[in-house]
Amino acid sequence: MARNKHRAEEHRPRRPHRHGAADGGVVVLGLGRFGKSLALELVAEGTEVLGVDADPRIVQSLSGRLTHVVTADTTNEEAMRQLSVGDFERAVVGVGNDLEASILSASVALNLGVPMVWAKAISQAHARILTQIGVHHVVRPEHDMGKRVAHLVRGRMLDYIEIDDGYAMVKTTPPAAMHGTSLAESDVRRRWGVTVVGVKSPGAAFTYATPETVLVAGDVIVVSGARQDVERFSDMC
């Protein structure tokens, strides 16, 4: 993302209406592919979003699609102060490819007192620096998606989410050994070290699993546990 330390002053962007920040709105700093898709998804879910980017072409393309969108340099603390970035409860730094701009933008959001700052990182070193300066949540979209797809490709999982290091949730089908018996009877936690937390029968919606839940062929289940345990369990399905 090209940086222009005077752009915000030249365009004199109007300060967005403050009620969006007070009501749990999100400011997205950097509207590249990651920032743009995230901002649009937030708006689609009913969240007020202030989008900021130094490229006026990107800003123009999102005009009317985000709650507020402004052309400004996200590394310029005074410009961000004028936009009331510090009033937001959450900020997402979508700047990725420009390492310096990413770190400076995150630092600005932190200096302005945003309580929860998320930032995109493109490498392990980048993620480490963001963590060291105080960013609360660092995400590596390409890396995380690569890990997720790798698990799906190698096994029989329908979906895979790593919640934390060593702990995961998967969507899969129940093994034949569990068909026709309740979860209590199959003793799934003791035998396989996993917990069935949800079940979806054909034509029905997902619902919470209980000890009385009986699984049959065609069901889809959500299972949680240690990564190696859920992987071993899904390989049986």
Side-chain angles (χ1 to χ4, degrees):
M1 183 185 72
R3 288 162 45 211
N4 181 342
K5 293 188 180 301
H6 301 291
R7 187 182 302 279
E9 290 83 351
E10 290 170 357
H11 287 261
R12 298 186 182 278
R14 289 189 304 166
R15 180 176 297 192
H17 203 280
R18 295 173 65 123
H19 77 271
D23 291 347
V26 178
V27 57
V28 180
L29 306 176
L31 298 169
R33 285 180 298 177
F34 173 74
K36 174 183 175 180
S37 61
L38 183 143
L40 290 172
E41 183 64 23
L42 286 169
V43 169
E45 294 295 325
T47 301
E48 293 199 23
V49 173
L50 166 62
V52 187
D53 198 279
D55 190 334
R57 294 170 300 177
I58 292 177
V59 169
Q60 181 61 35
S61 72
L62 291 169
S63 178
R65 303 173 68 188
L66 302 182
T67 316
H68 309 281
V69 61
V70 177
T71 302
D73 176 12
T74 60
T75 71
N76 185 317
E77 185 166 333
E78 181 55 34
M80 296 302 98
R81 193 184 308 277
Q82 292 175 16
L83 292 174
S84 301
V85 166
D87 292 342
F88 284 81
E89 295 178 1
R90 291 162 293 174
V92 179
V93 179
V95 183
N97 294 333
D98 186 333
L99 187 66
E100 181 182 359
S102 167
I103 294 168
L104 288 174
S105 299
S107 178
V108 165
L110 292 166
N111 288 343
L112 292 177
V114 179
M116 193 62 63
V117 177
W118 297 68
K120 172 188 174 182
I122 59 173
S123 68
Q124 185 174 357
H126 186 188
R128 184 169 60 250
I129 294 170
L130 289 170
T131 300
Q132 288 172 345
I133 67 171
V135 170
H136 307 95
H137 299 281
V138 177
V139 295
R140 295 177 59 190
E142 292 85 358
H143 173 265
D144 295 343
M145 182 55 71
K147 286 179 63 178
R148 182 180 181 188
V149 173
H151 282 90
L152 299 180
V153 168
R154 66 166 293 277
R156 300 183 62 182
M157 306 172 194
L158 303 175
D159 206 350
Y160 175 93
I161 301 175
E162 191 163 328
I163 307 298
D164 202 353
D165 290 341
Y167 189 86
M169 296 186 72
V170 303
K171 182 168 72 172
T172 186
T173 54
M178 295 179 66
H179 294 175
T181 60
S182 69
L183 293 178
E185 292 172 330
S186 63
D187 203 9
V188 60
R189 189 175 300 178
R190 183 187 63 81
R191 293 174 65 185
W192 293 293
V194 301
T195 301
V196 179
V197 296
V199 58
K200 183 182 187 302
S201 299
F206 263 105
T207 186
Y208 293 110
T210 69
E212 293 74 34
T213 298
V214 176
L215 301 176
V216 298
D219 283 348
V220 174
I221 56 176
V222 174
V223 178
S224 67
R227 184 178 61 192
Q228 63 270 21
D229 291 335
V230 295
E231 289 175 348
R232 185 165 54 248
F233 178 81
S234 66
D235 287 342
M236 298 171 47
C237 301

